Each structure stands twice: as C-alpha cells, then as structure tokens.
Amino acid sequence: MKQKVIFLDVDGTIYDEKGEIPQSTRRAIALAHDKKHLVLLCTGRSYSEIGAELWDLKLDGMIGSAGAFIYFRDKILFHRPMKPESVHNLLDFLERKNIPY
C-alpha cells in the first residue's frame, strides 16, 4: 500500500462541538499511523495555538497560520511571519472599524 498524507483541521474535525477529541478520532489517527500514513494538521491556527493535547496524537507536522508556517517531523520547513508594518496596518484598521480581534 502506498503511504498517504492525511490533513486534518482542528475545530470540527479533531475537536468536536464540545471542544473535545473523541475517542473515535484518536483511534482513526492511530490506525492511520499503524498503516504508516502521515497525519498533519492543516489549520489557520499558529504553532503556538496548538496545545500538547493535539501533539499527543503523534501528529507528523502541520501547515499552520493559513500556510505561512510548515512544520514536519520536528523541523520548521517554512515560516513567513507578517511584516511589522502589515501587522500595524491591520490593527489600525480593526481599531478604526471597531472590529474585535
């Protein structure tokens, strides 16, 4: 069997509507690993927003920050943070429009 790469989102995929990881999800990820498939997160969340509970699932890596961060087997392969000027402009916009963030 060919090795496959499985990408999982966090909310509504790994975490259920209660914010918990169901046993069925844990079993499915373990089964994928048993079959030598790779399991990665693919999320808009940043690396710092991924807690130990998720890494305890023995994930192989993640594509995070909406593609601006790629982590695979304990190595950062790509990281493009926002430029400080872009962050400043975004925060100014959100404040002017009274948009919570």
Side-chain angles (χ1 to χ4, degrees), residues 21-96:
I21 302 174
Q23 285 299 353
S24 59
T25 300
R26 293 176 190 278
R27 283 192 304 272
I29 292 170
L31 180 61
H33 282 133
D34 288 347
K35 294 182 180 258
K36 307 298 183 210
H37 300 309
L38 300 172
V39 181
L40 291 92
L41 293 178
C42 189
T43 178
R45 291 182 184 207
S46 67
Y47 180 83
S48 63
E49 294 176 288
I50 304 303
E53 181 181 42
L54 289 172
W55 291 120
D56 287 346
L57 297 171
K58 307 295 184 221
L59 301 168
D60 296 288
M62 74 178 282
I63 297 175
S65 299
F69 181 82
I70 301 173
Y71 178 78
F72 182 69
R73 293 190 171 159
D74 299 324
K75 291 183 186 171
I76 296 172
L77 303 180
F78 181 79
H79 184 209
R80 182 170 292 163
M82 289 179 72
K83 295 176 183 172
E85 180 182 330
S86 296
V87 173
H88 178 73
N89 291 339
L90 176 60
L91 293 175
D92 282 349
F93 173 80
L94 294 171
E95 292 289 338
R96 277 194 322 274

Side-chain angles (χ1 to χ4, degrees), residues 3-19:
Q3 184 180 49
K4 297 180 179 160
V5 181
I6 302 164
F7 295 95
L8 301 174
D9 189 19
V10 177
D11 298 306
T13 303
I14 293 180
Y15 286 129
D16 63 15
E17 65 279 351
K18 297 179 217 167

